[in-house]
Amino acid sequence: MRINYLDHFKVLALVLMTFFHYKFVSFIYTGNSLTYTDNSIGFVARFLFLMLFGVHYKSYLTKFSHKISKLILTSVIITIASFVFDSPNTIVFGVIHFFTLCACVFRYFPRLIYALGFISTVFLFVELPDLSHNWFLIFGLTTPNFSSYDYFPFLPFFSYVFCGVLYRDYIIDKQIFTWDLPKNPCIQFLAQHSLAFYLLHVPIILLVHYMMM
């Protein structure tokens, strides 16, 4: 069953993400500072994306092979492209890499989801120490000079995904809240192809920025 208001939230996240990344690219190349509003928009976009990923966690129990293959391929493309573009800031564990790890947790360790969710929530309030290496960067443990354009460590960001898991289990599955919106083919299309949108929007932003210089 497709819940159409979730598609609207996903498209909202895409719009906010595109705006934030445009401002971020401008910050990198022109030095224009990111405002409090810019950072707030970025936070809302991140939260919506991660939360909505958690809402659909049960789909990885039945369609894992198809979904994980797309995530792995996208992760590899992002890492290679970022290395070619700017090797010192290579994306080694960005949001798609993070989604890949979360998908594996959903598929192979479903009984640990709640425990990991509560643990990751604790790490929202704990400052992790710096290390002398980056071997555990997927858990948020890095060297002080670690740099990457996109970095989503499992701790604490799994807590955002966990919010979506809770919403699925206690709101959607129990039908506590229903909200039917008029179907919109454009919104449905964008929501269904959000991964492709994510992969393409940064190169398009870079091209637009280059043309405006």
Side-chain angles (χ1 to χ4, degrees):
M1 180 180 66
R2 192 167 191 87
I3 304 170
N4 65 352
Y5 72 81
L6 293 179
D7 287 346
H8 288 72
F9 281 119
K10 185 176 288 187
V11 172
L12 173 62
L14 289 173
V15 171
L16 295 178
M17 174 192 68
T18 302
F19 173 83
F20 176 74
H21 284 167
Y22 178 80
K23 298 290 285 188
F24 185 74
V25 168
S26 179
F27 162 70
I28 292 173
Y29 288 101
T30 67
N32 293 334
S33 299
L34 291 171
T35 66
Y36 176 81
T37 300
D38 295 335
N39 288 318
S40 297
I41 289 173
F43 172 80
V44 173
R46 285 192 296 273
F47 179 81
L48 282 176
F49 264 116
L50 271 59
M51 187 273 287
L52 290 170
F53 186 82
V55 167
H56 298 291
Y57 83 98
K58 290 185 178 179
S59 67
Y60 289 89
L61 300 177
T62 56
K63 301 177 181 178
F64 179 74
S65 298
H66 174 65
K67 288 178 174 289
I68 198 69
S69 61
K70 291 198 299 183
L71 289 174
I72 291 174
L73 177 60
T74 305
S75 298
V76 171
I77 291 172
I78 289 172
T79 297
I80 293 174
S82 62
F83 177 79
V84 172
F85 180 72
D86 187 357
S87 58
N89 294 293
T90 299
I91 299 173
V92 292
F93 201 75
V95 67
I96 305 300
H97 304 74
F98 169 74
F99 283 161
T100 304
L101 178 58
C102 290
C104 291
V105 170
F106 296 155
R107 177 64 178 84
Y108 296 113
F109 306 101
R111 295 184 178 179
L112 295 180
I113 292 175
Y114 271 65
L116 292 172
F118 286 119
I119 291 171
S120 62
T121 301
V122 170
F123 279 89
L124 283 172
F125 310 98
V126 175
E127 185 175 352
L128 296 175
D130 294 326
L131 298 183
S132 59
H133 52 76
N134 293 314
W135 298 344
F136 303 108
L137 63 85
I138 65 173
F139 300 113
L141 296 166
T142 65
T143 60
N145 60 348
F146 173 76
S147 180
S148 176
Y149 281 134
D150 190 34
Y151 179 47
F152 280 76
F154 192 79
L155 301 175
F157 283 108
F158 188 72
S159 61
Y160 295 15
V161 175
F162 185 54
C163 289
V165 172
L166 294 176
Y167 189 82
R168 162 62 68 177
D169 288 347
Y170 294 101
I171 302 297
I172 294 177
D173 287 354
K174 295 183 183 300
Q175 297 184 340
I176 291 176
F177 174 74
T178 58
W179 185 20
D180 289 327
L181 296 175
K183 289 185 178 180
N184 185 306
C186 182
I187 287 178
Q188 238 179 344
F189 177 83
L190 287 173
Q192 290 174 344
H193 297 87
S194 58
L195 189 59
F197 184 97
Y198 180 85
L199 195 59
L200 294 173
H201 84 284
V202 171
I204 292 174
I205 289 173
L206 290 171
L207 178 61
V208 170
H209 184 78
Y210 175 78
M211 293 174 63
M212 292 176 63
M213 289 179 62

